[in-house]
Amino acid sequence: MLHSVQDIDTSETLTERQQAVLDAALRLLVEEGDNLTMTAVARRASCSKETLYKWFGDRDGLLNATVQWQASKVRVAAVDRERLDIGSLTASLERFASDWLKVISSDTSIALNRVAVSHAGSGKDDLGAIVLQNGRFALARRLKPVLEAGRQAGLLDFEDAETAFRTFFGLVGRDVQIRLLLGDRVELTEATIGGDARRATQQFLALFGANNRLQSL
């Protein structure tokens, strides 16, 4: 029986029209930040407010869906638990790392995170919590099963999946996201991102690879 860890793709639950509306909302967040309204999104997306309320409920629902849509661009490649080897595990981790670096370095994510940080604790709305729940925390829920599969296959050695995830997350992101948020013009080309993703994965495997841990004892 095949037991695999599947990537959860938000795009599978959205129509193309809904995806277009969320893309319009993301563009407005980049351009206007705090001023995102249902009226503005309806106008930009050429749809009625009634349609937005039907699909997303209210402004918080729209923000939730928008963040989920952006986060879905970070994919976690499916792995076969019964046939998992170091090659397929490495490929899955590198893909996650590459996708995440592409997403956080986009103008859209930079603008979204800046707005979320500015709203945190302000009482304006729950955008900070929305970004945490549908961004970082959701990514952890999607990648941890892959890490657990690696441990079950004898490829990884760690006591706590959350600690392992946070370590990998830190190795991938380093100081890139905070520099981007503060306006540093970090140039992340496809080649740079690919190299960073491979380097972070190899560093993670050096720390948590079962063979490496045994050799260090």
Side-chain angles (χ1 to χ4, degrees), residues 162-176:
E162 174 65 15
T163 299
F165 171 80
R166 291 176 65 186
T167 301
F168 184 56
F169 211 60
L171 290 169
V172 175
R174 297 167 293 134
D175 64 347
V176 171

Side-chain angles (χ1 to χ4, degrees), residues 63-125:
L63 287 172
N64 261 301
T66 300
V67 175
Q68 288 174 354
W69 172 233
Q70 181 71 356
S72 73
K73 297 170 186 176
V74 182
R75 299 160 294 176
V76 180
V79 296
D80 184 343
R81 288 181 180 272
E82 295 181 351
R83 300 179 182 178
L84 185 63
D85 58 21
I86 193 62
S88 56
L89 176 63
T90 298
S92 182
L93 293 175
E94 286 185 1
R95 175 177 172 177
F96 174 93
S98 177
D99 282 354
W100 186 59
L101 285 171
K102 289 175 184 176
V103 168
I104 66 170
S105 62
S106 69
D107 290 341
T108 300
S109 281
I110 293 170
L112 180 62
N113 280 292
R114 282 174 177 164
V115 174
V117 170
S118 72
H119 282 205
S122 69
K124 288 184 177 180
D125 53 37

Side-chain angles (χ1 to χ4, degrees), residues 29-63:
L29 277 170
V30 172
E31 297 168 13
E32 302 183 16
D34 289 2
N35 298 322
L36 182 72
T37 65
M38 300 292 269
T39 300
V41 173
R43 185 182 303 114
R44 175 64 65 90
S46 299
C47 69
S48 67
K49 285 200 296 182
E50 288 75 14
T51 297
L52 293 182
Y53 284 112
K54 178 181 178 181
W55 285 345
F56 306 112
D58 55 16
R59 184 175 180 273
D60 277 356
L62 175 62
L63 287 172

